[in-house]
Amino acid sequence: MSTTTTNAAITVELLRNAACRAHDAMRRNEQRLNEADGKLGDGDTGSMLARLTEALSRADIAQAEDLGAAFALYARAGSAATGSSLGTLLVTALLAASKATKGKTAIGWNELSPLVGAALEAMIRRGGASLGDKTILDAVHAVAEALREVSDQATARRLAAEAARRTLDDFRDKPNRIGRARMFAERSIGQDDPGMLALCILLSDGP
Amino acid sequence: MKKFMNRPADYVDEMLDGLVAAHPSLERCGASRRVIRRAGGARPGKVGIASGGGSGHLPLFTGYVGHGLLDSCSIGNVFEGPNLESCMEAIQFADGGRGVLCLYGNYGGDRMNFDMAGEMLEAEGIVTRTVLGTDDIASAGPDEAAKRRGVAGLILAYKTAGAAAEAGADLDDVTRIAAKTVAATRTIGVALAPCQVPTASAPTFSLGPDEIEMGMGIHGEPGIWRDRLKPADALVDEMLERLIADAPAGASDRVVVLVNGLGATPLEELFILYRRVASGLGERGISVARPLVGAFVTSMEMAGASISLCFVDDELERLIGAPASCPFWIVP
């Protein structure tokens, strides 16, 4: 992603850049995310996300004719890389983004909030978790809200990162309400949800 | 933890290479070669049974492909669900023209991928039904039984549904049998030592020398409560107590018992457990229709065991006893 502050739209090239930076961020944080997951789940979130983002970074989307096709290629690459619940949710989000951007070669930054909202809706439908369950969905929801009325990259980046960080902080002392972690809900209090933490790292450290 | 492996990233594919090399009854197939099916493929006219799940649980899931059991199985990375493509392929490879039952454990990733696969194949005219294994009583209370996860008891549903399909039952009936078996089965696990994901740099949890995790699943995830190690009989008594307290309404007084090793626990200790399970059931007036003792569903090198009870009626008992053959379970 370009670091210059412009009103340039979201394009296939920007998406490609974002995937490469996401992979870099996940590679560097692989064990940290594995450890966070080990406290609540089976300890593989970091490795899974490193592998998923590597698959995205390697997918050749340069020839994609529009954003919809580029997101679809990413969805396919992601789904080949994992079948984990978090990974499949991210693939579901990519598919929803593909559907929403079909035929568009670029979208404005002001269109990012509804795009994230559409992805969130698809993730809720497919995964069965609700807002408030302390999952990545809560952070995605906060990001979609924060991006309302935003029309440039620098503001989008800053507000998205802040929203994800704030959600992580807000939920730390709440119990997980879905997945394995809900069974020892009191022990999940004080722990970061690994999916939420991953999104936070991606937005502050990655793209 | 020490592991026999080459590159951690190759762990699953090299395991599958060896599995099919050692067992010619299994065939590895699919675009990414992440599906195991019976050599020779689906039998026309038979209802197919497809399963799937993450690696790290052998003999589950792929090891139960065989006569009277599964037709095909998709396989994911260690403790990760199988990907969408492999779920679609597993269903296609199981299809003999009379529909396919997707029978797997209740986990988010597995469910999402099989659901998507079923939706996509519906357009191609393949009829699917789904039954989820939900036997782990520690993973949700009785009021939320549908949220429970599938652990060792899943293989009993493989066995009964597989026997029904082999005998020519139609898709609705095979589905009914699988659902009935799941509804009649309860499992609880206990861990003595953790396991480690091949790509991770540390075990997923640590236990003190005298500590145990009760309510352990099969993914090396933390158990539900931690306790002091007690004599085997006391542990069995506590586990049986919880299983029986959770027995389905109107449960029979006859059970198939599965005392399952989670990976590192020796058979010797499983028999020490079974000894008390058998006497404890006898004291409660429950008779054992069939005992199964061994490592049927594991969590890599985790030390520990699970106990499953399947409260059987005549129909389920007959199907559990029907002939079946896969690399890890033969019923003559």
Side-chain angles (χ1 to χ4, degrees):
Chain A
M1 194 179 282
S2 158
T3 51
T4 55
T5 306
T6 68
N7 290 316
I10 299 167
T11 59
V12 171
E13 193 194 339
L14 186 137
L15 201 58
R16 216 190 91 68
N17 229 318
C20 292
R21 295 189 58 147
H23 176 226
D24 187 50
M26 289 299 98
R27 198 169 41 80
R28 279 185 287 109
N29 289 281
E30 178 175 346
Q31 296 305 338
R32 181 181 167 200
L33 287 166
N34 281 345
E35 279 161 34
D37 187 33
K39 290 174 183 152
L40 299 171
D42 52 19
D44 65 356
T45 291
S47 299
M48 185 279 290
L49 286 172
R51 184 154 25 77
L52 188 148
T53 52
E54 181 182 9
L56 299 195
S57 71
R58 286 189 176 178
D60 182 13
I61 61 167
Q63 304 307 314
E65 55 189 22
D66 58 37
L67 278 170
F71 274 120
L73 286 169
Y74 276 167
R76 184 177 299 181
S79 82
T82 183
S84 73
S85 46
L86 178 60
T88 307
L89 275 177
L90 295 173
V91 167
T92 303
L94 291 168
L95 274 175
S98 164
K99 223 165 152 184
T101 55
K102 195 169 180 290
K104 297 179 183 171
T105 51
I107 61 168
W109 288 96
N110 59 334
E111 293 175 81
L112 190 54
S113 176
L115 184 64
V116 175
L120 174 65
E121 202 179 302
M123 291 162 91
I124 289 174
R125 215 169 35 236
R126 178 62 68 193
S130 309
L131 292 180
D133 285 351
K134 193 175 177 180
T135 70
I136 192 170
L137 301 185
D138 293 303
V140 174
H141 174 70
V143 168
E145 290 297 309
L147 290 175
R148 278 172 190 271
E149 321 278 319
V150 167
S151 57
D152 68 278
Q153 181 173 2
T155 312
R157 215 174 143 166
R158 180 171 55 79
L159 292 184
E162 281 173 13
R165 167 63 59 188
R166 203 171 50 242
T167 313
L168 188 72
D169 291 341
D170 286 350
F171 274 88
R172 186 167 299 123
D173 290 329
K174 294 181 184 173
N176 281 76
R177 287 210 233 130
I178 195 163
R180 180 76 185 180
R182 79 176 188 287
M183 287 310 295
F184 38 87
E186 75 289 351
R187 260 159 57 197
S188 72
I189 291 172
Q191 308 287 357
D192 288 335
D193 173 73
M196 220 183 254
L197 177 62
L199 186 69
C200 193
I201 291 171
L202 279 173
L203 293 175
S204 57
D205 190 1
Chain B
M1 279 174 170
K2 294 174 190 155
K3 285 182 192 288
F4 291 115
M5 62 179 177
N6 299 302
R7 280 188 346 132
D10 296 332
Y11 190 87
V12 173
D13 288 304
E14 292 184 352
M15 171 276 287
L16 290 172
D17 283 343
L19 178 70
V20 296
H23 296 285
S25 66
L26 303 179
E27 198 170 277
R28 193 173 169 197
C29 48
S32 309
R33 299 176 49 73
R34 285 297 184 94
V35 180
I36 296 289
R37 68 169 176 181
R38 296 192 203 178
R43 207 175 80 210
K46 187 184 91 67
V47 167
I49 303 181
S51 190
S55 293
H57 306 298
L58 276 175
L60 197 70
F61 298 83
T62 46
Y64 293 102
V65 170
H67 178 83
L69 292 153
L70 303 176
D71 292 275
S72 65
C73 187
S74 54
I75 182 96
N77 294 308
V78 173
F79 296 166
E80 285 180 27
N83 70 17
L84 174 58
E85 178 184 57
S86 66
C87 291
M88 290 179 67
E89 290 166 339
I91 294 170
Q92 288 168 315
F93 289 135
D95 182 34
R98 289 185 72 201
V100 176
L101 172 65
C102 299
L103 179 56
Y104 54 94
N106 185 25
Y107 296 93
D110 308 45
R111 194 171 44 72
M112 284 187 258
N113 283 288
F114 266 108
D115 281 355
M116 279 195 268
E119 286 164 24
M120 290 166 92
L121 290 172
E122 205 176 342
E124 292 180 22
I126 299 181
V127 183
T128 60
R129 297 276 187 279
T130 299
V131 173
L132 301 174
T134 55
D135 54 312
D136 181 9
I137 65 167
S139 60
D143 49 325
E144 292 187 311
K147 285 191 181 174
R148 287 178 171 170
R149 297 181 148 197
V151 285
L154 180 61
I155 66 163
L156 301 174
Y158 286 173
K159 182 69 192 67
T160 54
E166 216 69 59
D170 66 16
L171 181 58
D172 285 339
D173 209 32
V174 173
T175 304
R176 177 185 66 81
I177 291 292
K180 179 177 170 180
T181 309
V182 168
T185 306
R186 301 287 185 274
T187 299
I188 188 166
V190 57
L192 307 182
C195 61
Q196 182 172 327
V197 175
T199 50
S201 55
T204 43
F205 63 94
S206 57
L207 277 173
D210 297 323
E211 282 181 323
I212 59 169
E213 286 268 353
M214 283 293 275
M216 194 68 213
I218 54 168
H219 294 87
E221 68 277 73
I224 307 303
W225 69 98
R226 205 162 267 210
D227 206 343
R228 311 287 299 171
L229 181 61
K230 292 180 244 186
D233 286 2
L235 286 175
V236 169
D237 288 347
E238 181 180 350
M239 292 164 86
L240 273 187
E241 204 57 57
R242 288 177 185 272
L243 289 171
I244 288 165
D246 202 282
S252 69
D253 53 7
R254 195 157 166 79
V255 292
V256 170
V257 182
L258 169 57
V259 173
N260 174 58
L262 289 176
T265 292
L267 268 173
E268 280 82 352
E269 292 170 33
L270 299 183
F271 284 115
I272 289 171
L273 296 176
Y274 182 71
R275 167 186 165 277
R276 180 62 188 167
V277 170
S279 64
L281 290 171
E283 286 162 17
R284 291 171 173 86
I286 298 173
S287 64
V288 175
R290 179 176 288 263
L292 295 162
V293 181
F296 286 84
V297 173
T298 66
S299 198
M300 292 191 297
E301 67 274 82
M302 188 185 290
S306 65
I307 302 174
S308 306
L309 300 181
C310 176
F311 297 85
V312 293
D313 62 3
D314 291 345
E315 181 181 46
L316 292 185
E317 186 173 347
R318 178 176 54 76
L319 292 166
I320 296 252
S325 174
C326 71
F328 303 95
W329 190 8
I330 293 171
V331 182

